[in-house]
Amino acid sequence: MGLLSDPSRRKVLTGLLTRLNTPICIVCYLAGIVWFMGLAFEPFTLRTYMSENAMGSTMVEERFSSGERALSLAKEFDAHKRKAGGMPVEWLVKAMQSRGLEVFTQSFSRKLPFPDENKERYMVRGTNVYGILRAPRAPRTEALVITAPCSPGNTNNQAVALLLALAQYFRNQIYWAKDIIFLVNEHDLIGTQAWLEGYHHTNITEYISGSLRGRAGSIQAALSLELSSDVITSLDLVLEGLNGQLPNLDLANLFYAFCQKLGVLCTIQGKLQRNDWDTAEGYTHAAQTMMLMVLKQACGRSWGDHGLFLRYHIEAASVRGINSFRHYKTDATTIGRLLEGMVRKLNNLLERLHQSYFFYLLPSLSRFVSIGYYMPAFGLLAVILLLRALDLWVHLGAPALAAVDGVTEAEQPSSPGVLTVLTPVVISHLTGVALYLLPVHLQEMAVEHFPVSETEAVVLTAIAIYTAGLALPHNTQRLLSGEGTEQGWKVLKLTALLYLAVLLGCTALINFSLGFILAVTLVPITASITPALYALVMVLLSPAFTILYCVFIYQELIEAPVSVSEGWMLFLSVISQGILDHALYGSLVYPLLALFIYPCWLMFWNILFWN
Amino acid sequence: MAAPLTLLLIVAVTIRAVLFRSSWAELISERVEVVSPLNAWKRVVEGLALLDLGVSPYSGDVFHETPFMIYLFHFVVDYAEIVFMVSPGLVFCLSRFLTSLYLFRKQKYALESDRYPADCLELLRSPKEMFYIPLKVAMFYLLNPFTILSCVAKSTCGLNNAIIALFILCTLKGSALLSGILLALATYQSIYPLTLFAPALLFFLQRLYIPVNLRRSSFWFFTLQYAFIYVGSLVVITGLSFFLLGSWDFIPSVYGFIFSVPDLTPNIGLFWYFFAEMFEHFRLFFICVFQINVFFYTIPLSIKLKEHPVFLIFMQIAIISIFKSYPTVGDVALYMAFLPAWSHLYRFLRNIFLVSCVLLACSALFPVLWHLWIYAGSANSNFYYAITLLFNFGQILLVSDYFYAYLRREHHLTHGLYLKKKDGTEATLVLK
């Protein structure tokens, strides 16, 4: 408190902060970036360890051996799937029943707000089939879920077959203390969403789905299994869920521990772990893996069926079989054993997974960066906004800080009216609301008048409104008061800076990656903006361009670089997917960008055309 | 003046009416920042249901309103929304009288008397500035998001605020009888306004030109008179409650509940986390320590501010809202409504930028961290409590900043605006 009440020391501090404001800001920005890049450097990260006692001390022995049978089941399933032209519901029900499960089905339908061109669907109608293995040893108040999506085409047959084989094996064991639900869902995420809403009696996203007739206890954890090809060389763990939520780190530890035990090649973000952290390649590899995780988390969509479980407070992860490392081969028995081991350990849980971290980044499967290590990187960026705001406050002649002694203050210039600040704020937010509402609602009109498909109509409307928003402010400004004063834009900038700081802070707490990426692009431009700045720089660092850059960087990182035109097409599809994710699963990234970040950016844009 | 006030009133009522009808109302009324176990509307409804069934509303551990409150709502439950809309309106009319009455008088006094050095004239407020204060106070209360939230949630906090505002009005109007009765009513509602007794007494003494001197019989005569009105009406009100309900159940259920803090639902106050962590056998001791905070500051502040009872009222209300056992944002809004009345202190405030940043950030972070803790399950109570601490730090800093500024202005008024040290250099004032 000495600092806050001693006037001479305050004077020195504020003097220092205002005089050296720009250098401090630049240093903070660079330090933030360097800190973030340093997170992938192995000596700065922590080794993962199992925190949960119930899963650590008890080793289990895996005895699952019917991998071969699973393969033949896969063929049978494939044949029935072809015959039914979709999910062979009857066959699945019979198959599950013959393995001694209580089987139920749930049918659902959902009309998408506009056609999804990536997956070619509009009116979705499907059925989920699930079987419950009742726990013989406990009061059946808790449950685990293993899910395998039944995707169209030839993919994922093995996963469904393995699920059935596991069910048969599990049925004969006596040690289950939790009910186990085997779920085969149709239309991947839509099916999962419908099932989860049915299971929990909620209706968040306007699904029309049948109610569930059979239930088990409260779900403690879920695993989703996706085996996309017949030959599996390695297993990939997918953790990023809806809105960038991650499951408890112990789930990743569990997977890693069993991969080590069974000698299975395991990856994260499709990248193997390397041991040469002290070489440049080793570091680049870790940095790439971490960047991929950041990008995936930032986009806020669910990267596997598990992502939707997280919202219901259920720890979940997807295990995805991939075929990319030629010399290895993992057979179905081993994958079955891996799952058996994981489920048995989860079965031992006495309470939900909560011991380990929920906020982390993974540069590799055995190393993690916890919130305490990565938050400073964001903090260094966010503090720039506050420093600039402080600087402006001092320059605006606020008596509190300019002259520590209020009496030396000269006559204060009259502050600009509330209206000059309020008008841009309101207009920006109205533009934001338009950007949020209009694309989906205007699609019919757009399709009538222009030769485009519905999806294109939605995306192009969004881009059009976004661009139109850039033209709006400086017209209204002229209309309103003719000429803006120097004071006016400073007050507006101060408001906008504080607004952005709070906004980014809240975003970073919920979804660190999104907050960080937005901070990296928005902070330099917003901190340095004056009416004299080039408009082009401002546009190039706007939220839409940030998405575009992220698309290119992502493609670069997954080693599938794209040309500019392909990148543009991808950008369009990312926008349509973002809007769809919001409508279908309640992802918050699109509303956040449209209703808050974009209007905030527009407020800064307004300053550019102040005179 | 009337036109902007009417406009303001229309805007304020429109916002509330729209929110009452929207889907947000239910969400808001569930927020722990907005409602506390003491004033949640859900609990009032429960109490009413019990009363209708002929069961004592205090049986069970849900209802903690005073008997007057439940009988009030017993009659107007169908018009509850209107009651909640009217209550802030009430506060606002009163605050407007408050400032105009008090400050105009003081201003006149200041200008008439020649006792201030000439260079202090810029510290005094011109009548033109004063003219807009009521409007600003009304705006600060009616359009404060905290008040709006609290009103839409139908938290009975708004009614308590209205009673306190009425009390202040009566005090400033100089009606000792009404002031005593309303203070008793406010105390009956939530105990803590008890500490407002001191400033009210000081105000009346000052108004009647009775010096605060323990040896003077006139001082004792008036003090006893006022205390008698206060205690007498408190006894009458409590007695009436007894006859209404026919039992003393409400004493432990309302006042015991306020003092012993058995409900540890998180809120924006300081109590819940400590007492959730506390070993049971230290509980009594720490409850005493925590509760004494509200009452203790009355003594030093009354001594320091005995010439300025209205500012003392503001300080007391702020302290109550910071240290009470179940604070909500509605309580915060009440003392924030006073801030425009002290706009002449603005130039002496030192941390206003820091404080506004802190309060702004905290208000945004409360729901975010609540979401992370309760819904996402990824954060925990420590995160939420950290923000609570920060929020209260901001409030304390705000109050102490105003306190310092007030004292400093008084100092300048008597010693001149431009202070010189003995060696002729410019002097600065330090609060130690």
Side-chain angles (χ1 to χ4, degrees):
Chain A
M1 289 301 279
L3 195 63
L4 291 174
S5 57
D6 184 354
S8 50
R9 267 190 261 165
R10 286 167 56 92
K11 204 171 192 170
V12 172
L13 186 73
T14 42
L16 198 74
L17 284 181
T18 44
R19 207 172 52 248
L20 296 178
N21 201 281
T22 316
I24 292 178
C25 286
I26 293 172
V27 167
C28 277
Y29 187 76
L30 293 178
I33 304 283
V34 169
W35 186 297
F36 177 74
M37 292 318 291
L39 291 177
F41 190 52
E42 199 170 304
F44 297 160
T45 58
L46 297 173
R47 177 165 281 282
T48 53
Y49 55 91
M50 192 72 87
S51 307
E52 177 62 59
N53 280 331
M55 297 199 307
S57 56
T58 51
M59 281 318 278
V60 293
E61 196 181 337
E62 303 81 28
R63 297 225 178 96
F64 177 75
S65 57
S66 36
E68 291 306 314
R69 195 182 301 163
L71 287 183
S72 63
L73 260 174
K75 290 200 183 89
E76 200 179 331
F77 176 71
D78 186 36
H80 282 91
K81 193 160 132 185
R82 275 168 213 274
K83 212 195 301 174
M87 189 149 109
V89 178
E90 277 170 36
W91 182 82
L92 261 176
V93 170
K94 261 186 209 147
M96 282 191 180
Q97 264 165 355
S98 70
R99 282 163 181 80
L101 305 180
E102 281 177 35
V103 189
F104 305 95
T105 58
Q106 179 208 23
S107 55
F108 59 90
S109 68
R110 175 75 160 101
K111 181 170 173 268
L112 271 56
F114 56 91
D116 181 355
E117 289 192 343
N118 283 23
K119 291 187 173 149
E120 289 167 359
R121 56 191 181 188
Y122 183 43
M123 291 288 297
V124 179
R125 209 174 279 282
T127 314
N128 291 324
V129 180
Y130 65 102
I132 303 173
L133 170 62
R134 297 290 179 188
R137 291 219 133 183
R140 301 174 179 178
T141 50
E142 295 177 338
L144 301 172
V145 173
I146 309 176
T147 148
C150 168
S151 353
N154 204 7
T155 55
N156 223 21
N157 294 338
Q158 270 198 39
V160 177
L162 194 58
L163 198 78
L164 292 174
L166 274 174
Q168 185 162 24
Y169 171 74
F170 283 179
R171 179 77 177 83
N172 298 324
Q173 309 305 319
I174 49 150
Y175 40 66
W176 300 115
K178 294 177 172 48
D179 294 346
I180 300 175
I181 304 173
F182 296 90
L183 167 68
V184 179
N185 54 313
E186 206 175 354
H187 300 296
D188 46 62
L189 286 172
I190 296 182
T192 316
Q193 177 73 20
W195 189 80
L196 278 168
E197 289 194 356
Y199 196 90
H200 294 102
H201 275 305
T202 52
N203 193 353
I204 322 169
T205 46
E206 298 165 15
Y207 277 78
I208 303 160
S209 48
S211 60
L212 296 192
R213 270 165 293 142
R215 275 197 182 70
S218 88
I219 303 173
Q220 305 290 303
L223 290 172
S224 165
L225 185 63
E226 290 170 39
L227 306 172
S228 50
S229 76
D230 287 341
V231 182
I232 306 294
T233 61
S234 61
L235 292 178
D236 188 50
L237 185 67
V238 187
L239 296 170
E240 300 85 1
L242 196 70
N243 292 327
Q245 216 180 331
L246 299 170
N248 195 292
L249 187 58
D250 267 344
L251 204 62
N253 295 339
L254 185 67
F255 172 77
Y256 183 62
F258 273 100
C259 284
Q260 297 291 84
K261 186 182 176 194
L262 298 171
V264 178
L265 211 56
C266 55
T267 61
I268 187 152
Q269 321 299 352
K271 293 197 184 282
L272 275 175
Q273 192 170 344
R274 287 171 69 135
N275 292 321
D276 52 342
W277 58 267
D278 42 359
T279 62
E281 292 86 41
Y283 168 74
T284 324
H285 188 80
Q288 279 176 350
T289 317
M290 193 181 73
M291 277 305 293
L292 268 174
M293 175 153 185
V294 167
L295 286 172
K296 279 184 171 180
Q297 199 191 3
C299 86
R301 62 185 309 198
S302 172
W303 287 82
D305 278 351
H306 72 281
L308 300 174
F309 283 89
L310 294 173
R311 174 163 53 195
Y312 294 88
H313 214 324
I314 300 166
E315 304 312 318
S318 284
V319 175
R320 192 169 283 166
I322 48 176
N323 175 15
S324 54
F325 305 97
R326 292 259 168 86
H327 305 291
Y328 298 89
K329 186 169 180 327
T330 310
D331 59 353
T333 310
T334 321
I335 300 174
R337 285 194 172 166
L338 182 104
L339 285 173
E340 184 203 348
M342 287 178 75
V343 173
R344 278 195 66 181
K345 284 261 184 149
L346 291 171
N347 180 50
N348 288 343
L349 281 182
L350 296 176
E351 45 189 330
R352 277 172 203 276
L353 287 173
H354 67 283
Q355 298 272 11
S356 194
Y357 294 85
F358 283 95
F359 298 103
Y360 52 85
L361 294 175
L362 293 173
S364 73
L365 255 179
S366 64
R367 294 265 162 188
F368 77 102
V369 183
S370 79
I371 182 167
Y373 289 80
Y374 67 61
M375 248 348 187
F378 173 80
L380 282 167
L381 296 186
V383 83
I384 295 175
L385 298 175
L386 296 178
L387 280 175
R388 295 308 288 195
L390 183 81
D391 188 41
L392 273 176
W393 175 262
V394 172
H395 281 161
L396 277 170
L401 292 163
V404 178
D405 211 25
V407 285
T408 56
E409 185 65 20
E411 184 68 23
Q412 270 183 57
S414 61
S415 60
V418 186
L419 214 62
T420 40
V421 178
L422 206 60
T423 326
V425 174
V426 171
I427 290 176
S428 309
H429 280 86
L430 288 181
T431 322
V433 172
L435 180 61
Y436 174 65
L437 290 178
L438 292 186
V440 176
H441 289 284
L442 283 188
Q443 52 169 318
E444 280 172 26
M445 216 205 316
V447 170
E448 263 176 41
H449 292 89
F450 300 99
V452 285
S453 72
E454 275 106 336
T455 318
E456 281 171 328
V458 171
V459 176
L460 294 178
T461 320
I463 294 178
I465 294 172
Y466 188 92
T467 325
L470 304 190
L472 248 182
H474 72 269
N475 288 337
T476 51
Q477 192 59 41
R478 266 181 210 157
L479 216 115
L480 194 78
S481 57
E483 204 125 311
T485 55
E486 171 99 354
Q487 288 271 324
W489 72 260
K490 281 191 173 165
V491 173
L492 179 62
K493 184 177 170 183
L494 179 67
T495 321
L497 278 174
L498 290 179
Y499 182 43
L500 184 66
V502 170
L503 211 56
L504 288 181
C506 291
T507 313
L509 272 174
I510 293 179
N511 184 346
F512 165 76
S513 305
L514 183 62
F516 186 77
I517 288 179
L518 286 173
V520 166
T521 51
L522 285 178
V523 164
I525 194 76
T526 51
S528 60
I529 190 160
T530 59
L533 204 79
Y534 289 113
L536 186 66
V537 183
M538 184 86 196
V539 173
L540 284 180
L541 287 174
S542 76
F545 275 86
T546 311
I547 301 177
L548 188 64
Y549 303 144
C550 285
V551 168
F552 281 108
I553 296 173
Y554 179 74
Q555 290 299 329
E556 204 63 44
L557 285 173
I558 60 167
E559 287 155 18
V562 286
S563 67
V564 175
S565 62
E566 283 169 320
W568 175 252
M569 294 314 290
L570 269 176
F571 171 67
L572 297 184
S573 88
V574 163
I575 293 176
S576 71
Q577 289 299 316
I579 299 176
L580 269 180
D581 276 350
H582 172 58
L584 288 179
Y585 319 117
S587 150
L588 292 176
V589 175
Y590 174 59
L592 175 81
L593 287 178
L595 292 175
F596 295 104
I597 301 286
Y598 172 63
C600 186
W601 181 85
L602 270 187
M603 281 157 72
F604 288 103
W605 177 254
N606 222 308
I607 296 170
L608 217 54
F609 298 95
W610 196 258
N611 293 319
Chain B
M1 193 67 181
L5 270 178
T6 322
L7 189 70
L8 182 69
L9 208 63
I10 292 171
V11 171
V13 168
T14 317
I15 293 175
R16 284 165 172 78
V18 167
L19 280 174
F20 267 130
R21 297 272 169 269
S22 74
S23 58
W24 293 84
E26 202 184 339
L27 186 79
I28 291 169
S29 63
E30 300 277 314
R31 300 294 316 171
V32 288
E33 296 90 356
V34 182
V35 296
S36 72
L38 270 181
N39 56 25
W41 177 246
K42 231 160 109 179
R43 291 171 186 254
V44 177
V45 173
E46 171 76 15
L48 283 174
L50 288 176
L51 192 70
D52 286 344
L53 290 173
V55 185
S56 161
Y58 299 103
S59 57
D61 192 31
V62 174
F63 183 74
H64 303 289
E65 298 281 353
T66 51
F68 267 20
M69 213 47 137
I70 193 166
Y71 276 98
L72 171 71
F73 281 112
H74 189 60
F75 295 115
V76 298
V77 70
D78 297 334
Y79 312 103
E81 281 183 18
I82 296 170
V83 172
F84 282 107
M85 290 239 225
V86 169
S87 64
L90 221 58
V91 174
F92 124 89
C93 310
L94 306 169
S95 346
R96 140 191 152 81
F97 279 116
L98 166 172
T99 43
S100 53
L101 271 173
Y102 169 68
L103 292 168
F104 264 120
R105 213 165 49 81
K106 189 175 176 193
Q107 179 75 33
K108 230 179 343 178
Y109 183 58
L111 286 177
E112 278 166 7
S113 71
D114 240 358
R115 59 179 192 157
Y116 298 139
D119 58 351
C120 291
L121 276 181
E122 60 180 280
L123 287 182
L124 299 173
R125 287 189 290 189
S126 65
K128 186 171 167 259
E129 281 174 66
M130 311 268 292
F131 185 68
Y132 285 109
I133 286 178
L135 183 67
K136 281 185 189 161
V137 169
M139 204 161 83
F140 253 62
Y141 192 75
L142 288 181
L143 298 185
N144 189 338
F146 287 163
T147 328
I148 295 175
L149 288 178
S150 165
C151 177
V152 172
K154 296 193 203 166
S155 152
T156 53
C157 176
L159 294 174
N160 293 347
N161 284 354
I163 294 174
I164 294 178
L166 264 173
F167 152 72
I168 296 170
L169 175 73
C170 292
T171 311
L172 294 181
K173 283 241 178 186
S175 158
L177 179 69
L178 274 178
S179 152
I181 293 174
L182 282 164
L183 181 59
L185 193 61
T187 314
Y188 167 78
Q189 279 293 337
S190 61
I191 289 280
Y192 293 117
L194 174 68
T195 59
L196 296 177
F197 180 81
L201 181 66
L202 284 172
F203 183 84
F204 284 117
L205 289 174
Q206 196 185 47
R207 196 182 151 87
L208 298 170
Y209 301 108
I210 303 173
V212 184
N213 188 337
L214 296 183
R215 275 185 229 132
R216 294 282 285 271
S217 60
S218 57
F219 167 74
W220 283 110
F221 179 69
F222 186 78
T223 309
L224 286 176
Q225 196 186 350
Y226 190 65
F228 180 74
I229 299 174
Y230 172 63
V231 175
S233 34
L234 199 57
V235 169
V236 170
I237 294 170
T238 323
L240 273 178
S241 314
F242 171 72
F243 288 119
L244 272 178
L245 282 176
S247 80
W248 291 109
D249 280 353
F250 70 96
I251 300 277
S253 188
V254 178
Y255 307 115
F257 187 77
I258 292 175
F259 274 122
S260 64
V261 203
D263 191 315
L264 299 179
T265 317
N267 56 32
I268 59 169
L270 298 164
F271 279 68
W272 62 273
Y273 187 84
F274 271 110
F275 290 101
E277 301 281 315
M278 189 82 58
F279 287 117
E280 200 56 39
H281 47 277
F282 296 127
R283 198 180 156 93
L284 183 65
F285 171 69
F286 276 102
I287 280 183
C288 295
V289 171
F290 270 65
Q291 294 284 10
I292 217 164
N293 263 313
V294 186
F295 301 101
F296 181 73
Y297 298 115
T298 315
I299 302 163
L301 283 176
S302 304
I303 294 169
K304 188 78 199 166
L305 291 173
K306 66 172 185 281
E307 306 288 320
H308 314 285
V310 178
F311 191 72
L312 183 57
I313 292 183
F314 162 72
M315 292 292 291
Q316 288 292 351
I317 293 178
I319 284 172
I320 290 174
S321 89
I322 296 170
F323 291 111
K324 75 191 283 192
S325 45
Y326 302 101
T328 59
V329 290
D331 299 306
V332 179
L334 179 64
Y335 81 81
M336 282 196 169
F338 276 82
L339 296 184
W342 317 120
S343 59
H344 56 298
L345 302 179
Y346 184 71
R347 59 185 305 168
F348 297 117
L349 293 178
R350 297 163 308 167
N351 299 318
I352 192 70
F353 178 70
L354 182 70
V355 170
S356 25
C357 285
V358 166
L359 293 184
L360 197 78
C362 287
S363 314
L365 285 176
F366 272 128
V368 168
L369 288 171
W370 182 260
H371 169 85
L372 284 181
W373 174 20
I374 301 296
Y375 296 102
S378 41
N380 52 42
S381 57
N382 300 318
F383 289 60
Y384 191 76
Y385 189 62
I387 290 305
T388 311
L389 273 182
L390 194 63
F391 186 70
N392 282 298
F393 162 76
Q395 288 190 76
I396 291 169
L397 203 58
L398 180 75
V399 173
S400 53
D401 219 18
Y402 267 93
F403 182 57
Y404 164 80
Y406 197 87
L407 291 183
R408 179 132 177 236
R409 178 171 174 274
E410 290 304 317
H411 186 87
H412 282 304
L413 279 177
T414 44
H415 293 96
L417 190 51
Y418 299 101
L419 298 175
K420 296 274 189 265
K421 277 185 198 160
K422 276 178 191 150
D423 55 357
T425 55
E426 201 178 283
T428 51
L429 282 177
V430 182
L431 183 72
K432 283 197 173 151

